[in-house]
Amino acid sequence: MNIEMIRAAAKRAEGHARRTPLLNSPFLDERADRRVWVKAECLQHTGSFKFRGAWSALSALYPAIRAKGVIAFSSGNHAQGVALAAKKHGVSAVIVMPADSPALKLANTRAYGAEVITYDRATEDRDAIGERLSEERGLTLIKPFDEPQVIAGQGTCGLEIAVQAAEQGIENADVIVCCGGGGLTSGIALALEADAPTLRVRPAEPEGFEDVARSLTSGKIERNAQLSGNICDAIITPQPGHITFPIMQRLCGSGLVVTENEALRAMAHAWNRLKIVVEPGGAVALAAALFHADKIEGDDVIVTVSGGNVDAPMFARALETLT
Amino acid sequence: MNIEMIRAAAKRAEGHARRTPLLNSPFLDERADRRVWVKAECLQHTGSFKFRGAWSALSALYPAIRAKGVIAFSSGNHAQGVALAAKKHGVSAVIVMPADSPALKLANTRAYGAEVITYDRATEDRDAIGERLSEERGLTLIKPFDEPQVIAGQGTCGLEIAVQAAEQGIENADVIVCCGGGGLTSGIALALEADAPTLRVRPAEPEGFEDVARSLTSGKIERNAQLSGNICDAIITPQPGHITFPIMQRLCGSGLVVTENEALRAMAHAWNRLKIVVEPGGAVALAAALFHADKIEGDDVIVTVSGGNVDAPMFARALETLT
């Protein structure tokens, strides 16, 4: 896992992944007491950064292997990223999803061309289903984060941040990244180590699910006590990855933790001031910048908005925080 | 008014106005029965394309004249565009706004650094107030659309569309523009005439306020029967401009007209599929592409989303159309 893999992923993604904009607003600067820059990955294809990693992984496969198709487990953004990346490569994708996934996510994953196979969370073993399908059909598993080519794809976001920060004259900044398993965080950290070493990456997580923050403090991989019961579902994973954690440990500053209400308020500010749609898990980095300014050291703060796949009732809840 | 003025405006805007992205989604393509490309001007500074024209006009003034300050009449997007452009130039801006303007728009215009002067729509004469202030303080009036340097600024959006269309291999497309007085429409039309002559600009307006569509049909400037009572307030003007209309007459195809409900549904689709926030007046071009496909000829359709300054209750109304 190194910077050359990220540069190669960026080359493979040319003309396929979007170079997302770095947005700002004087109103956010005022609230955060420094300049705030928002890397709007909600504007990436499929509405989240996950398309980068999926594209990178699929485009790196040997064509004869890729032609047999790919498989992924996901109820959310990774599913859609893999489905669209497979469609654009002209190969089939099987996505194994819980039968009780939101109807819209099932429908969207199918609409991106994937075959969706549902399972009962209570009675069926997801991994067994996946293994059987992989063997029967020769499908390649695309893991969501602990996979070098996926990390390389997410790292392309970091290469763009380095260029965009230089364009804006940003030198001393915290780069806050919404963090689940650490694919995006470690990828960006590697890219910035090479191309913008004065910027410092810091993971942001929802309160009660701060496995990465705790792992960085203790120096070993810590698990979350629970895996549900938070609106930031997109970034809740059992623990940091075995590949991602050592990278984060070497390159990242301490983790930041935000409440659900802070995530909702950050969604409302992004709607009001930047005109972008953010999901709760995609808003935690912005929430950290806006509501935990005392824990940030940089003159500037760059935050990723990692996704925008949110349903209307949850979005309405976020807008209610404005009043 | 010519293409060289637009190119000069683009040069003056480098590093100041944003190059907004051209977004798309397979879901929108399916609904519109062709590829749909969205020029997301809601992501421009101040949340609308108006910043382009304001920047162009202010940056074109002689420094000694500009230093005395500028003045504008507007209750909406032009006000915010002029206020921020003035602030970034380090000069004062006076914005004359109706006393009954929405509180948020008054607050935002002030927050961008402008001096807001309110007047009573029923008893006071806006133009008289403006004239007195201009004389007393030597302020330069920045008109909202019928002004060559403003049109040149809006035209920079068209230069970007030409480049972005070429990148995507778009050749035979209708370019639908949300149209009020015609500043953006005529600016884009001039830019595309020079840089992408196979693309054809068409104005889009709300039903009952289609003065431009009627003017293009009759061949002379027609007025709207009324000036209020539609949610697309940002693009309702009495009539096309004396500078903008001849340009539109020479270069534009026939106008498209959408209902309020179609505008709301287009806002919801943009939220759901593109993750951007659109105001009703900024959604009429997308609404035309999605709901009037039979009136469009191009293999592709490019639409401007001209602004995203909408309040939460109106946005909630738009999201309700999804259910």
Side-chain angles (χ1 to χ4, degrees), chain B residues 73-75 96-98 119-120 124-131 144:
Chain B
F73 306 107
S74 166
S75 61
V96 183
M97 301 178 76
Y119 68 97
D120 185 325
E124 292 183 280
D125 178 353
R126 188 187 79 165
D127 292 330
I129 296 171
E131 259 176 48

Side-chain angles (χ1 to χ4, degrees), chain A:
Chain A
M1 188 64 252
N2 57 46
I3 183 68
E4 293 315 322
M5 289 176 66
I6 300 176
R7 296 203 202 285
K11 200 150 185 71
R12 295 197 305 279
E14 267 173 27
H16 302 289
R18 289 190 186 127
R19 181 189 193 263
T20 55
L22 192 68
L23 303 174
N24 67 325
S25 157
F27 299 105
L28 299 184
D29 296 354
E30 195 182 345
R31 172 166 285 277
D33 212 21
R34 52 172 61 79
R35 293 195 302 177
V36 179
W37 304 90
V38 175
K39 180 65 172 165
E41 280 297 300
C42 52
L43 302 177
Q44 188 51 263
H45 292 295
T46 71
S48 91
F49 74 96
K50 289 285 189 181
F51 178 77
R52 293 180 187 266
W55 182 270
S56 172
L58 266 94
S59 61
L61 291 175
Y62 287 105
I65 300 289
R66 184 170 61 218
K68 294 182 181 170
V70 296
I71 185 168
F73 306 107
S74 167
S75 61
N77 291 332
H78 181 56
Q80 295 182 60
V82 171
L84 183 62
K87 185 181 187 183
K88 285 176 173 245
H89 275 94
V91 304
S92 62
V94 174
I95 313 288
V96 183
M97 301 178 75
D100 59 352
S101 300
L104 185 71
K105 287 190 172 169
L106 289 164
N108 281 359
T109 307
R110 287 194 182 101
Y112 281 123
E115 177 186 351
V116 171
I117 295 185
T118 59
Y119 69 97
D120 185 325
R121 282 195 223 229
T123 62
E124 292 183 279
D125 178 353
R126 189 187 78 165
D127 293 330
I129 296 170
E131 260 177 46
R132 181 172 51 74
L133 286 165
S134 299
E135 266 182 40
E136 281 173 16
R137 306 201 203 168
L139 305 172
T140 302
L141 175 67
I142 309 292
K143 291 189 205 172
F145 55 85
D146 220 25
E147 152 61 42
Q149 290 298 5
V150 170
I151 297 169
Q154 319 309 23
T156 63
C157 181
L159 297 181
E160 293 174 12
I161 290 173
V163 171
Q164 291 167 319
E167 283 170 359
Q168 300 291 350
I170 301 165
E171 286 177 2
N172 170 27
D174 291 31
V175 179
I176 309 179
V177 182
C178 303
C179 189
L184 182 63
T185 310
S186 61
I188 290 176
L190 284 169
L192 296 184
E193 180 191 26
D195 286 5
T198 65
L199 307 186
R200 184 181 55 163
V201 171
R202 299 179 65 183
E205 294 167 291
E207 191 177 45
F209 301 83
E210 65 264 39
D211 52 310
V212 173
R214 288 191 294 110
S215 299
L216 289 172
T217 301
S218 74
K220 61 181 175 43
I221 289 179
E222 306 277 354
R223 292 180 64 86
N224 283 318
Q226 69 236 49
L227 287 174
S228 61
N230 191 286
I231 60 173
C232 302
D233 58 290
I235 59 166
I236 288 171
T237 46
Q239 60 182 53
H242 294 286
I243 302 174
T244 59
F245 179 62
I247 299 169
M248 293 193 282
Q249 200 175 17
R250 184 167 67 81
L251 296 173
C252 292
S254 60
L256 295 155
V257 179
V258 309
T259 67
E260 288 184 304
N261 184 256
E262 288 168 343
L264 288 169
R265 286 161 62 204
M267 290 168 66
H269 282 290
W271 171 85
N272 194 23
R273 301 309 186 187
L274 302 173
K275 312 304 174 188
I276 57 173
V277 178
V278 186
E279 64 189 80
V284 297
L286 179 58
L290 296 180
F291 308 120
H292 296 272
D294 57 317
K295 300 191 190 72
I296 297 169
E297 286 171 18
D299 297 328
D300 289 57
V301 59
I302 298 170
V303 303
T304 61
V305 152
S306 52
N309 291 311
V310 52
D311 60 19
M314 181 65 75
F315 203 75
R317 261 182 76 183
L319 295 190
E320 281 164 17
T321 66
L322 283 174
T323 54

